[in-house]
Amino acid sequence: MPELPEVETIVRTYRPRLVGRRFVAFSSRWPKQASPSVPRLRRAIVGRTVTRLDRRGKYIVFQLAPPGFLLVHLRMSGRFEWAAEHNGEPRHVRTIWTLDNGNRLLFCDARKFGRIIYTDDLSAVIGSFGVEPLERGFTSARLRELLRGRARQLKPLLLDQSVIAGLGNIYTDEALFVAGLHPLLRADQLKPGQVTALRQAIRSVLREAIRRQGTSFDWAYLGGRMQDHLRVYGRTGEPCQRCGSAIQSLRVAQRGTHICPKCQPRGRKC
DNA sequence: TGGTATGTTCCAAA
DNA sequence: TTTTGGAACATACC
């Protein structure tokens, strides 16, 4: 589920019900997800109060008082749920936080790839992250700097969290389509106008996805409506909304990739 | 049955 | 040093 728009949606949804609450218990059914160990994480957070809930890249960041940070990364299939007294338990519950008002926050994760981290030093975990694409600092000049001297293929560069924090496979494909750029272009060969178009495309695609509360993806994430508005991702063989050509799929950096072959030429131009 | 999957990380090789 | 490809993590779905 989780790219920047989905994580942002989750943070906005859960913030009012978590900020101001104190953790009174923590338990895990899949200890490998917790770092450091489950007992150390429990000692670190129980008795502490959530003062802020924020997003950095694809991480959900709980700021605690006394000072400390609880970070959750959903990876492929993680999601939050509230425990309900009736209705039985959701599937794939891996971790449970009990709050001082009696509510229980569940971390469900079918594939067990998600990560839960306690740290005193936030920068130790996310210090190497790149620019937040929706913040002021993400200017065309900044993007030009990030691409300069990089012989790398454009798509894997955009997926690299140390370059730009928060883009994943869906929105990278969408942004490249909107910008009219082929995913295999060499990053340092974009012309200034193309860099500007790419920066604009990334921001508009992410903003639209947040407005639609993210992309629902079968059993892993529900609630968003962006899946009905994707331009290329998952639309192999369907007509391009701009030119009518059939959307093609290819592999780039071991990731499924979707393009309009006419609107995203490999050569120059478009 | 086999191929695919919204993510990250480690390793080897070019 | 930079970049790329492959495997691993573990499970569900079609």
Side-chain angles (χ1 to χ4, degrees):
Chain A
M1 90 162 71
E3 300 185 32
L4 186 153
E6 291 77 31
V7 177
E8 181 66 27
T9 300
I10 291 164
V11 165
R12 291 180 186 184
T13 301
Y14 282 81
R15 182 182 285 139
R17 298 176 69 177
L18 286 172
V19 170
R21 299 264 65 94
R22 185 166 41 86
F23 292 122
V24 299
F26 170 79
S27 65
S28 173
R29 303 175 187 176
W30 185 249
K32 287 174 73 172
Q33 292 188 309
S35 169
S37 64
V38 169
R40 289 174 65 185
L41 202 153
R42 179 184 296 118
R43 275 199 300 278
I45 67 167
V46 168
R48 284 179 162 170
T49 300
V50 180
T51 57
R52 297 181 58 103
L53 191 70
D54 297 304
R55 177 191 61 74
R56 178 76 172 99
K58 300 173 192 171
Y59 273 100
I60 299 163
V61 181
F62 296 69
Q63 187 175 315
L64 308 177
F69 299 93
L70 174 69
L71 292 94
V72 176
H73 199 303
L74 306 167
R75 294 278 183 100
M76 295 287 267
S77 61
R79 61 193 161 84
F80 281 165
E81 297 272 355
W82 289 107
E85 297 310 320
H86 39 287
N87 289 343
E89 186 176 87
R91 300 190 62 181
H92 312 301
V93 175
R94 309 297 181 195
T95 298
I96 302 169
W97 292 271
T98 306
L99 306 178
D100 58 349
N101 61 1
N103 286 344
R104 285 177 300 151
L105 177 67
L106 310 177
F107 182 57
C108 308
D109 185 15
R111 290 174 66 178
K112 301 178 179 173
F113 283 174
R115 291 292 176 266
I116 298 165
I117 299 166
Y118 174 82
T119 183
D120 298 319
D121 177 12
L122 192 57
S123 67
V125 182
I126 60 172
S128 63
F129 275 25
V131 61
E132 281 287 333
L134 293 178
E135 288 187 356
R136 262 177 211 284
F138 187 56
T139 60
S140 294
R142 179 73 180 278
L143 182 56
R144 204 177 316 127
E145 270 176 46
L146 293 171
L147 303 182
R148 190 170 55 206
R150 308 300 300 270
R152 235 173 142 185
Q153 296 167 344
L154 191 50
K155 173 162 173 172
L157 187 90
L158 296 176
L159 287 170
D160 186 336
Q161 302 299 298
S162 70
V163 178
I164 299 173
L167 286 178
N169 206 34
I170 294 177
Y171 300 112
T172 299
D173 278 6
E174 294 294 302
L176 287 170
F177 169 79
V178 170
L181 297 171
H182 195 285
L184 291 175
L185 288 172
R186 264 181 56 153
D188 60 2
Q189 289 185 339
L190 268 58
K191 288 172 284 192
Q194 294 178 311
V195 175
T196 301
L198 178 57
R199 180 243 180 203
Q200 264 309 110
I202 290 169
R203 290 166 72 100
S204 67
V205 161
L206 292 176
R207 285 211 185 92
E208 179 188 3
I210 290 172
R211 183 157 50 79
R212 301 191 192 281
Q213 301 184 290
T215 300
S216 294
F217 204 88
D218 32 67
W219 42 275
Y221 175 80
L222 300 172
R225 298 176 310 280
M226 187 63 193
Q227 67 279 4
D228 299 326
H229 301 271
L230 296 175
R231 296 157 176 89
V232 287
Y233 184 88
R235 310 199 75 85
T236 307
E238 296 179 32
C240 169
Q241 63 175 212
R242 195 190 292 160
C243 76
S245 302
I247 301 300
Q248 286 182 354
S249 62
L250 59 156
R251 295 307 281 187
V252 177
Q254 292 95 246
R255 310 300 300 277
T257 300
H258 312 74
I259 63 164
C260 170
K262 198 166 164 194
C263 297
Q264 297 168 267
R266 275 199 79 163
R268 50 173 174 282
K269 211 171 163 91
C270 186

